[in-house]
Amino acid sequence: STIEFAGALHATIVKQVRLKNPSNNNLAYNAFLVGRDAHDFSLPKGNTITIPAMRQGFVNVEFTIRFLHPAEAVLLLIANKVDGIDGATLTFSLKSEVKSIEPLGMIKCRTPCYEL
């Protein structure tokens, strides 16, 4: 599935991925960001996620829109064996889109338009 990060240029956007554990055993995942623009995305809560049995866990992915071109990466969740149970590897496509451009500031100045 695809997670879209849409917002204004220079905005920081945080998306939360919910992971459910329907089994009676704990699940653990290591999260990795890979791809062309993976360095622009981050995992502010770390890259290890543990999901208790019959509960849910969350992975936060943060992105700051620095350029006008769309950024792309992949969130890869690789399961660790816990209690002898191995979970499935999960992948999510990460894409960004600039929706607006807000000026960071304005400068007023006076200058002649033409000087001989």
Side-chain angles (χ1 to χ4, degrees):
S1 87
T2 300
I3 302 168
E4 293 187 15
F5 295 80
L9 186 64
H10 303 296
T12 298
I13 301 164
V14 178
K15 293 286 183 160
Q16 201 172 56
V17 179
R18 181 176 62 177
L19 305 171
K20 291 184 180 180
N21 180 3
S23 74
N24 292 324
N25 298 306
N26 293 337
L27 287 177
Y29 287 95
N30 283 332
F32 300 95
L33 295 165
V34 295
R36 181 187 74 193
D37 301 308
H39 58 279
D40 290 329
F41 294 86
S42 67
L43 302 165
K45 291 189 174 181
N47 66 338
T48 303
I49 301 98
T50 302
I51 309 166
M54 304 302 288
R55 306 283 307 266
Q56 59 188 4
F58 296 93
V59 178
N60 288 344
V61 181
E62 188 175 278
F63 176 71
T64 300
I65 301 174
R66 299 183 311 135
F67 302 107
L68 291 175
H69 70 79
E72 295 181 0
V74 173
L75 171 63
L76 185 62
L77 298 168
I78 300 175
N80 286 336
K81 214 173 237 190
V82 177
D83 301 331
I85 301 298
D86 211 0
T89 298
L90 305 171
T91 60
F92 298 90
S93 176
L94 309 175
K95 295 187 179 199
S96 74
E97 181 182 358
V98 176
K99 291 287 189 182
S100 64
I101 300 173
E102 300 292 329
L104 291 177
M106 295 182 70
I107 299 173
K108 288 186 178 185
C109 62
R110 286 186 159 197
T111 184
C113 290
Y114 175 78
E115 207 171 289
L116 191 54

